Amino acid sequence: MTHLVDGRWYTTAQLAAVLGIDSSSLRRWRTANPPCGPAYVRVSPRVVKYCAADVEAWLQSLRTDPTQAAA
């Protein structure tokens, strides 16, 4: 299986670039009630990190298989 992300930790800006979204989307997902998006670690009040494995798991949870979607 090819993975989108490698086994490292990403900042909000780095992950946004990998996903092709704006950093504000990740910040909005973290502050939503209830929170959504990939799991994260708050290292300090201003620093958030995302583990590549958590991002991969989150992406897999969003996956839609067209052959299974038709009912």
Side-chain angles (χ1 to χ4, degrees):
M1 171 196 284
T2 302
H3 296 283
L4 173 66
V5 291
D6 54 24
R8 61 181 229 166
W9 290 82
Y10 290 87
T11 65
T12 299
Q14 290 168 331
L15 183 58
V18 168
L19 296 176
I21 61 173
D22 194 270
S23 295
S24 64
S25 295
L26 288 167
R27 288 190 292 273
R28 191 172 53 254
W29 295 343
R30 285 194 311 262
T31 60
N33 190 11
C36 55
Y40 61 91
V41 174
R42 186 168 297 281
V43 178
S44 74
R46 296 181 55 104
V47 177
V48 172
K49 296 286 188 167
Y50 293 89
C51 176
D54 290 336
V55 174
E56 191 72 36
W58 173 71
L59 288 170
Q60 287 295 327
S61 76
L62 299 176
R63 185 175 179 268
T64 300
D65 184 342
T67 63
Q68 302 297 318

